[in-house]
Amino acid sequence: MAASMLFSVTAFSQVPAEKIISMTPGLPSVTQLLDCYKAAEDPSHNTALEKDYVSDFLEAWDDARSKISDMREASKGTGIPSDIMNAQTQGVSVKQAAGMTEADARKLAQSTMMGRLGSMGLDAGDLAKMQSGNLSEAEQQEMANKVMKSMGGISIENIQQMQGMTDEQRAAYMQSVDPTGEAARRLAASEAKSAKEKERGAALMNLANYDRNIMDGLKAGEKMKDDARAKGLDIYERKYRARVRELENGMKQAIQDGAFEELPAPGTEARCAAAAERFCQLNYQKFEVLCKFYEEYIPVWRNAITGAMEHFKTKVMDQSRNREAFRSKMFAQTRSTEYAAPAFTPDAIAMEYFEISRDVVDYQLELPSDME
């Protein structure tokens, strides 16, 4: 296992989330998006734009993206604060782990595993038997006894003997098998260690729950876009497709009648010219129908984008800040690298907010067409 797998520590930026959010350009309005659609798709090329709102937005967005990237890169510095770099797990600091070769990391993993087995009363031979998967019942019983003895100095047989005893009988029996009280002390120490491990497990589970909730929150933002697209296609199918299909069938007939004949055969010139004129009229009518559709759909799409942005900025951001506060508290208490590496930090959520804002201009759908 590579060091990067043993120690999940990555460089992180310190750019405030609010700064990133404030640099997001204002989104084009519904009217501006519709005007840009008409100017771009008008087959007659007669729709003029007072201002190319989409291009202006994309230019501002790209400029902000570049500045944010520069800021995040500059804020990394060495990447990880010195207190985290010097934090240790398994006797190795983050700084040392970052410089490990894969062979060194394997040795560390092996020694760590053997150390844990040793604390359980097991050895390399026991490990080999477990890895073989061919343990007999007697061997399993023997290992279980080793583990039990390492924990409290008593065996499974001792425990079985105490079943059904009264408290007085159990105390007398324990005195006979553990006259010095060493087993009892070791058992108490083992139980204390177990309680500490339970606390650690609960803390890591809490962190995992934060991660899952944040991931679900990010997916919910993407789902808003998927739902908007689905709604748009439904609107088109119910209200506009039949008319578009009718117009496209007429356009196909006009093509068959010679609408695009470059050199019409003698005597067909008038027919081809009439077909070309008919094609242009039908195509413009199709454009007008699609304009009506996008007039209805663009608000749905834009609302999905602004809704996702607000969702990221509030709910997901709150979860991110709570996660970071908990992670930071646990690291301060334990100095363990398990809590050293920030993830889903507020600035990362702010970047999700920023990135999804660009999708506002990607409102056009792949609509079904009969023009083939």
Side-chain angles (χ1 to χ4, degrees):
M1 186 182 294
S4 60
M5 298 286 282
L6 286 171
F7 301 94
S8 177
V9 179
T10 55
F12 59 96
S13 74
Q14 299 290 325
V15 179
E18 293 77 9
K19 179 67 173 177
I20 295 173
I21 289 173
S22 70
M23 293 177 70
T24 306
L27 275 55
S29 68
V30 169
T31 300
Q32 290 169 344
L33 290 172
L34 184 61
D35 286 347
C36 288
Y37 172 79
K38 291 178 179 179
E41 302 298 328
D42 183 356
S44 70
H45 305 294
N46 290 328
T47 302
L49 264 185
E50 192 177 294
K51 189 176 181 183
D52 192 339
Y53 304 103
V54 168
S55 294
D56 288 351
F57 168 76
L58 289 176
E59 183 178 345
W61 191 92
D62 288 338
D63 182 58
R65 184 70 176 83
S66 179
K67 289 178 180 176
I68 292 171
S69 295
D70 290 344
M71 289 166 56
R72 297 187 87 201
E73 188 64 30
S75 73
K76 283 180 181 178
T78 58
I80 304 172
S82 59
D83 61 339
I84 294 180
M85 286 297 287
N86 294 322
Q88 294 198 358
T89 290
Q90 301 160 8
V92 178
S93 72
V94 177
K95 188 174 183 179
Q96 290 169 323
M100 275 187 175
T101 64
E102 187 154 349
D104 290 334
R106 271 199 212 95
K107 288 179 183 177
L108 175 61
Q110 184 71 16
S111 65
T112 300
M113 182 179 293
M114 292 310 300
R116 288 175 178 171
L117 287 173
S119 69
M120 296 167 62
L122 303 177
D123 55 28
D126 295 321
L127 174 60
K129 288 179 183 178
M130 287 190 291
Q131 289 176 332
S132 72
N134 296 318
L135 285 172
S136 65
E137 287 189 17
E139 288 171 325
Q140 292 178 33
Q141 184 78 4
E142 181 185 356
M143 284 192 192
N145 274 324
K146 284 185 177 182
V147 173
M148 291 300 298
K149 285 189 175 183
S150 73
M151 292 174 62
I154 59 174
S155 68
I156 290 178
E157 286 84 355
N158 297 146
I159 293 174
Q160 290 172 340
Q161 286 287 334
M162 288 188 288
Q163 288 180 356
M165 289 183 179
T166 65
D167 289 344
E168 292 78 7
Q169 290 171 329
R170 191 176 296 111
Y173 180 79
M174 282 297 297
Q175 179 64 31
S176 69
V177 297
D178 181 29
T180 65
E182 176 62 21
R185 286 191 291 273
R186 291 175 64 187
L187 185 59
S190 176
E191 288 175 347
K193 182 178 180 182
S194 177
K196 189 173 182 180
E197 283 297 310
K198 284 182 180 179
E199 289 179 6
R200 171 180 170 273
L204 291 176
M205 180 62 72
N206 195 18
L207 209 57
N209 287 336
Y210 276 123
D211 292 346
R212 185 181 67 252
N213 291 336
I214 292 171
M215 282 298 297
D216 288 345
L218 293 175
K219 289 177 183 176
E222 289 297 317
K223 187 176 183 298
M224 291 180 191
K225 295 195 304 183
D226 293 338
D227 290 346
R229 291 190 187 98
K231 184 175 182 179
L233 290 173
D234 178 64
I235 292 171
Y236 180 75
E237 286 288 344
R238 287 187 295 102
K239 300 176 67 172
Y240 299 98
R241 187 175 183 186
R243 178 55 178 158
V244 170
R245 182 187 295 116
E246 178 186 348
L247 293 168
E248 288 182 340
N249 286 336
M251 291 161 66
K252 287 195 290 187
Q253 185 59 54
I255 292 172
Q256 292 173 7
D257 292 342
F260 292 108
E261 288 289 338
E262 292 186 10
L263 296 172
T268 65
E269 292 89 350
R271 186 196 71 198
C272 290
E277 177 62 24
R278 189 165 73 254
F279 180 91
C280 289
Q281 291 175 352
L282 293 170
N283 194 29
Y284 192 80
Q285 290 175 39
K286 174 187 171 183
F287 163 69
E288 290 181 318
V289 173
L290 291 178
C291 285
K292 289 186 177 299
F293 163 68
Y294 278 110
E295 186 176 343
E296 186 170 355
Y297 172 63
I298 286 176
V300 173
W301 177 251
R302 192 180 186 280
N303 286 341
I305 299 303
T306 56
M309 292 170 67
E310 184 65 19
H311 174 69
F312 290 167
K313 188 173 73 170
T314 55
K315 186 173 182 179
V316 183
M317 185 67 76
D318 286 345
Q319 292 171 337
S320 170
R321 289 196 169 102
N322 290 339
R323 182 199 190 280
E324 178 59 12
F326 177 75
R327 181 208 65 78
S328 181
K329 180 185 76 172
M330 293 308 300
F331 177 72
Q333 290 176 359
T334 66
R335 312 306 293 173
S336 169
T337 52
E338 290 172 312
Y339 308 104
F344 298 116
T345 50
D347 72 301
I349 304 304
M351 282 306 301
E352 294 290 338
Y353 171 97
F354 179 86
E355 295 287 349
I356 205 170
S357 69
R358 189 188 187 284
D359 293 338
V360 72
V361 299
D362 295 330
Y363 57 84
Q364 285 189 254
L365 294 173
E366 291 187 18
L367 300 171
S369 174
D370 294 302
M371 285 297 293
E372 295 182 1

